[in-house]
Amino acid sequence: MPTRSHLPPSAPAALPAPPMAWNAWGDPALAKPLSDDVRNLLHTLLEIDTAAAPAPARDEVLVRPSALSGVHLRALTEIVGEEHVSVQDADRLPRAGGKSTPDLLRRRSTGPQDAPDAVVVPGTEEELRDVLALCAQQRIAVVPFGGGTSVVGGLDPVRGEFGAVLSLDLRRFDALLSFDEVSGEAVLGAGVTGPRAEELLGAHGFELGHYPQSFRYATIGGFAATRSSGQDSAGYGRFDEMVRGLRVVTPTGTLDLGRGPASAAGPDLRQLFLGSEGTLGVITAVRVRVHPVPAVRRYEAWRFPDFAAGAAALRAVEQQGTGPTVIRLSDETETAVNLAMTSKIGAPQEVSGCLAVTVFEGTEEQTAARHEATRRTMLAHGATSLGEEPARAWEHGRFDAPYLRDALLDNGALCETLETATDWSNLARLRADVTAALQGALQAGGSTSLVMCHISHVYPTGASLYFTVVGAQRGDAIAQWQAAKTAACDAIAAAGATITHHHAVGTDHRPWMEQEIGELGVAVLKAVKGVLDPVGILNPGKLIP
């Protein structure tokens, strides 16, 4: 029988901690409690009992004992060094999942928490290959870990048929490996975070310009493995569009993919790993398109009388290609709630309806031309300019919304997000169906809810809808949210939209993957996994039904 060969659970962490709090989003120093006014608003609108319940301290939380044997622990130590392996509870708990609302609610329980049986931090591809070979031979599951920002169960330590599961932390793959100013390309290690990437490229006068809400903590490898889409996607594209090459270590070998700016040499194998969520291989390095740091930024915010008018304007702007770097539209509910929460935009009558934000980047000439062309289109569709300030305020706080979710959870609210995408012609139906599904499921559980929505990313043929849901916690809050999420996902699938636009699949969306890609599509994924990971150790229980 496996034995616990490590120190007691109270032993201190042996590894550097992940950058985010173990039981909340981000940096605890940036967390802010709700004001009395907001708490009163929650109580009045949603009948939420905002009496804060103290969260348990980390040493109060029980972690299931590690199932890793002493023999396996010694073998891993021989590969990566003693200082890069830990079975301490203090190291395992911060890597026990991601940062979805169910993840955070589980962290609030003092009951036994599931967690990886060990944390391993390889520093070279050779070490990584040897770790994967050992795990395949000994039937140990492996969950790649970057920034820990998954909100769809992508980091859940699922053992499946295996006796133990490792968290494979890629933090040591953290360098700018090469930079080509002439071609506008850079090779970054998979463990480089968003801010570190901008720092490394900024030293050369360049930037990547990829800013998802998880930017401060997510990694280059995570961006690739989940097909991340940043808030500047209207200008610079999704992350998968930036990728020019990948290095991937699999249990059966290493792949170095991507030659030249384009190729007709068969199907593009890079696409197998973009969005693969660590189930097919471990991404160690990514060659990406980069660009000079913009010389100028321009900002303008807009008010539309309703969501339909705003959506029509965004569609026209995108289809004519006038080139904002950022273009977003909040619906009436989200606009009103943001005003009530911040009161930074002006008097309510100034922003009734829907708020849109635009940002333009480039040279002075480029930004001026794009701004003016976009401006004409927005005005032609009934927009009223609100000037720069609301757009600048959005940019200033654009990475901070998850801290508000933490504060809401602290005060008895249920708060979570989900996203999807569809064609422009299907957008209104999709928004209505998902909103009704969420409200209906939460109402059935005894909770009144607010469902807010915004257009987060645009394409010539369609757009992404991003929903934020706030209601009162009633009984088992995890089960309450899972019922609402299931209803929303069923509505998304029934409307013919994609089950996820940029949050990825993980465990949460896996039940809908067969509807997304069909029975044959699932068979193709399983066949590929059978070649690359024949024992099935890589991130079991994710992506592939």
Side-chain angles (χ1 to χ4, degrees):
M1 249 182 107
T3 60
R4 293 190 74 188
S5 57
H6 56 286
L7 298 175
S10 58
L15 302 173
M20 291 199 288
W22 70 278
N23 62 346
W25 181 267
D27 182 354
L30 298 179
K32 295 180 180 179
L34 297 182
S35 68
D36 289 342
D37 287 344
V38 172
R39 293 175 68 206
N40 290 336
L41 186 65
L42 291 172
H43 180 72
T44 300
L45 290 180
L46 302 176
E47 300 179 340
I48 294 175
D49 179 2
T50 57
R58 189 165 70 177
D59 59 6
E60 296 178 297
V61 175
L62 299 176
V63 180
R64 297 186 192 280
S66 172
L68 196 71
S69 72
V71 171
H72 294 154
L73 179 60
R74 286 191 292 274
L76 290 167
T77 298
E78 288 175 5
I79 295 172
V80 301
E82 184 176 2
E83 68 274 26
H84 300 304
V85 182
S86 177
V87 287
Q88 305 303 337
D89 293 352
D91 291 313
R92 295 164 56 218
L93 183 58
R95 298 167 176 86
K99 298 298 181 183
S100 69
T101 288
D103 289 328
L104 299 182
L105 290 170
R106 279 189 285 269
R107 297 294 86 82
R108 291 164 185 264
S109 169
T110 56
Q113 303 274 333
D114 202 5
D117 297 295
V119 180
V120 179
V121 193
T124 67
E125 287 188 355
E126 181 180 9
E127 290 180 354
L128 177 53
R129 285 195 298 269
D130 290 347
V131 168
L132 294 183
L134 173 69
C135 290
Q137 182 184 38
Q138 299 299 322
R139 298 188 61 79
I140 299 170
V142 176
V143 179
F145 187 96
T149 62
S150 172
V151 292
V152 291
L155 299 174
D156 288 1
V158 177
R159 290 168 181 78
E161 62 188 36
F162 302 102
V165 58
L166 303 182
S167 175
L168 188 77
D169 194 318
L170 296 166
R171 69 172 64 234
R172 295 173 66 198
F173 291 85
D174 61 351
L176 173 62
L177 302 173
S178 69
F179 174 72
D180 181 346
E181 181 175 358
V182 174
S183 304
E185 291 185 338
V187 179
L188 292 158
V192 174
T193 64
R196 181 61 175 156
E198 296 304 344
E199 179 184 352
L200 292 167
L201 294 170
H204 299 275
F206 277 68
E207 70 169 13
L208 180 59
H210 185 68
Y211 297 106
Q213 195 169 72
S214 60
F215 165 76
R216 290 173 176 155
Y217 305 102
T219 61
I220 294 296
F223 292 156
T226 60
R227 289 190 180 271
S228 174
S229 190
Q231 294 165 347
D232 291 22
S233 66
Y236 302 123
R238 296 166 56 94
F239 190 77
D240 50 336
E241 296 175 284
M242 301 178 183
V243 172
R244 294 293 177 259
L246 294 165
R247 283 189 62 81
V248 187
V249 177
T250 81
T252 53
T254 299
L255 291 158
D256 193 345
L257 301 172
R259 298 189 179 192
S263 173
D268 187 349
L269 295 183
R270 292 173 301 178
Q271 298 300 323
L272 287 175
F273 299 98
L274 293 169
S276 63
E277 301 182 35
T279 63
L280 304 179
V282 181
I283 297 169
T284 60
V286 185
R287 189 170 78 253
V288 289
R289 180 189 72 215
V290 296
H291 57 265
V293 174
V296 175
R297 286 185 176 86
R298 287 176 170 239
Y299 303 82
E300 191 161 15
W302 305 88
R303 182 185 66 81
F304 286 94
D306 53 47
F307 189 76
L314 267 61
R315 176 177 61 83
V317 167
E318 178 62 15
Q319 289 179 346
Q320 72 187 17
T322 56
T325 305
V326 176
I327 185 164
R328 299 163 66 86
L329 173 72
S330 293
D331 71 2
E332 293 89 343
T333 303
E334 185 170 281
T335 299
V337 168
N338 285 342
L339 174 65
M341 297 288 282
T342 64
S343 299
K344 290 182 178 179
I345 299 173
Q349 63 269 20
E350 294 179 311
V351 288
S352 59
C354 297
L355 175 69
V357 167
T358 55
V359 182
F360 304 82
E361 296 183 348
T363 66
E364 179 62 52
E365 295 78 8
Q366 289 171 333
T367 55
R370 292 170 182 170
H371 188 185
E372 180 55 33
T374 298
R375 198 170 200 281
R376 287 196 299 267
T377 301
M378 299 289 263
L379 291 171
H381 282 78
T384 301
S385 175
L386 298 174
E388 292 187 0
E389 182 53 34
R392 289 185 178 273
W394 167 82
E395 184 181 67
H396 177 73
R398 63 176 170 169
F399 303 131
D400 294 335
Y403 292 107
L404 175 60
R405 179 187 59 169
D406 289 343
L408 289 167
L409 292 176
D410 285 340
N411 286 272
L414 183 68
C415 180
E416 185 57 301
T417 63
L418 59 90
E419 38 68 67
T420 178
T422 192
D423 298 337
W424 288 111
S425 59
N426 194 39
L427 203 70
R429 173 200 170 187
L430 178 64
R431 174 172 166 252
D433 288 357
V434 174
T435 298
L438 289 166
Q439 290 177 330
L442 288 169
Q443 186 175 14
S447 178
T448 303
S449 62
L450 280 176
V451 178
M452 296 163 274
C453 180
H454 64 260
I455 293 177
S456 60
H457 303 82
V458 295
Y459 306 91
T461 59
S464 171
L465 292 178
Y466 191 101
F467 295 87
T468 302
V469 189
V470 181
Q473 294 182 28
R474 300 283 191 245
D476 183 342
I478 294 177
Q480 183 187 10
W481 171 247
Q482 287 173 338
K485 180 67 180 283
T486 297
C489 288
D490 285 344
I492 288 169
T498 182
I499 197 63
T500 176
H501 173 262
H502 59 270
H503 281 174
V505 176
T507 58
D508 291 8
H509 297 139
R510 185 171 173 245
W512 290 271
M513 274 298 284
E514 186 168 329
Q515 288 176 266
E516 180 90 10
I517 63 175
E519 184 179 347
L520 182 58
V522 172
V524 170
L525 286 181
K526 288 180 176 178
V528 172
K529 186 170 178 68
V531 171
L532 298 172
D533 179 23
V535 182
I537 61 170
L538 289 175
N539 215 6
K542 321 295 166 42
L543 179 65
I544 304 172

